[in-house]
Amino acid sequence: MKILVAVKRVVDYNVRVRVKPDHTAVDTANVKMSMNPFDEIAMEEAVRLREKSIATEIIAVSCGSLQCQDTLRTALALGADRAILLESDEELQPLAVAKLLNFLIAREQPDLILLGKQAIDDDCNQTGQMLSALTGLPQATFASRIDIAGGTATIATTANVVREIDGGQETLCVTLPSIITADLRLNEPRYVTLPNMMRARKKPIEILRVADLGVDVRPHMKTLKVTEPPVRRAGITVPDVAALIDQLKTRQVI
Ligand code: AMP
């Protein structure tokens, strides 16, 4: 079974995000960037499927600037066999990424496509769903467990996916090839070790220029303004319940 995993380069989740002074975007200059945490979980799941001899090949793919090669190197160190960068310096919104992944799926014919449930920079939670619509493949989003039926690379035709929904869990059976997006509880990703990072240097990264692919990646949305959340006012101490109620009635909560 061949697995394609989409990994996005995002601002590291430990970084305190700052907005550019002109309010056009988040400032990413000199900021630590990492693989989107949900994509790490998707990668880990692919590696575990290979360890169970269910997956035979794992391909990591990223869409964006040449710097995304760093993210792909991490994916290779985590266990991907090869990586593909769909390279563009233009802003790639979820529909554009879905179209690019659709292009790659037609070329690579994977049996399983794993994505994160959402990217922590745009919080869109759209790419997997749009990809399902474009490819016509079944989707199971927010997966917290994936069981491949049959259990071997040659005869697997379906996957049972447990997903967390309001008030419980839902189990879906999807026919493969299928698109599955990873939720937080799917697994706990392993750390990248130095020897694996060194080995990853020898694995191939193929770079395809988006401009040469004939895929329309023009944005359909324009960001008008990006602002920081309002600063919280300092708390106050009140002497008694009456004063508290008075404050609750009169103080503006932000
Ligand atoms: P989003 O719809 O932007 O919240 O992203 C959902 C998922 O789509 C991510 O967790 C990634 O798996 C994938 N994805 C989004 N943007 C990219 C990108 N530029 N390159 C690779 N994968 C991406």
Side-chain angles (χ1 to χ4, degrees):
M1 176 195 275
K2 191 172 179 180
I3 305 182
L4 190 76
V5 187
V7 295
K8 185 177 188 185
R9 179 176 182 263
V10 297
V11 173
D12 187 271
Y13 68 93
N14 285 311
V15 170
R16 198 188 172 288
V17 169
R18 299 206 177 277
V19 171
K20 281 186 183 173
D22 63 1
H23 294 288
T24 52
V26 163
D27 196 353
T28 53
N30 303 318
V31 167
K32 182 171 186 261
M33 306 293 282
S34 299
M35 183 188 296
N36 183 45
F38 293 107
D39 306 353
E40 275 185 49
I41 296 172
M43 260 307 303
E44 173 69 28
E45 196 63 16
V47 174
R48 289 186 189 193
L49 286 172
R50 203 195 29 220
E51 285 168 351
K52 289 186 211 156
S53 302
I54 295 174
T56 48
E57 187 182 20
I58 303 169
I59 308 163
V61 54
S62 195
C63 311
S65 68
L66 283 172
Q67 289 154 313
C68 295
Q69 286 178 97
D70 296 344
T71 315
L72 289 172
R73 284 274 166 235
T74 307
L76 291 168
L78 285 168
D81 299 293
R82 60 188 169 99
I84 302 171
L85 170 63
L86 297 165
E87 190 241 325
S88 170
D89 283 328
E90 302 301 316
E91 178 199 355
L92 296 173
Q93 293 178 352
L95 182 58
V97 175
K99 286 181 186 173
L100 291 170
L101 295 177
N102 181 32
F103 167 87
L104 207 60
I105 288 167
R107 193 186 88 160
E108 294 287 343
Q109 300 286 314
D111 304 289
L112 181 61
I113 302 100
L114 293 174
L115 296 87
K117 73 163 179 179
Q118 75 192 64
I120 61 163
D121 53 358
D122 59 23
D123 269 346
C124 277
N125 175 14
Q126 295 170 354
T127 310
Q129 295 87 328
M130 287 175 168
L131 183 60
S132 169
L134 290 175
T135 54
L137 296 177
Q139 62 174 310
T141 53
F142 311 128
S144 57
R145 188 186 163 108
I146 302 174
D147 291 309
I148 305 290
T152 66
T154 41
I155 60 169
T157 52
T158 58
N160 283 352
V161 180
V162 178
R163 48 197 306 273
E164 280 171 36
I165 55 169
D166 267 358
Q169 292 186 329
E170 177 184 61
T171 306
L172 297 179
C173 180
V174 286
T175 51
L176 301 180
S178 180
I179 290 155
I180 300 180
T181 72
D183 206 342
L184 200 62
R185 269 173 277 272
L186 182 59
N187 60 51
E188 201 174 307
R190 68 198 65 191
Y191 288 105
V192 178
T193 60
L194 191 60
N196 282 346
M197 206 63 194
M198 301 301 279
R199 270 192 281 276
R201 287 198 192 169
K202 295 198 186 105
K203 294 186 186 176
I205 297 182
E206 183 185 2
I207 300 178
L208 301 174
R209 277 171 40 95
V210 168
D212 300 336
L213 303 181
V215 178
D216 178 7
V217 293
R218 280 173 300 176
H220 291 262
M221 289 173 294
K222 189 174 165 207
T223 303
L224 300 179
K225 196 174 180 192
V226 178
T227 53
E228 306 239 4
V231 181
R232 283 182 71 141
R233 280 195 294 169
I236 55 165
T237 308
V238 288
D240 52 32
V241 174
L244 172 65
I245 291 172
D246 184 52
Q247 283 296 325
L248 288 174
K249 281 186 187 160
T250 53
R251 229 171 118 93
Q252 261 200 334
V253 181
I254 53 166

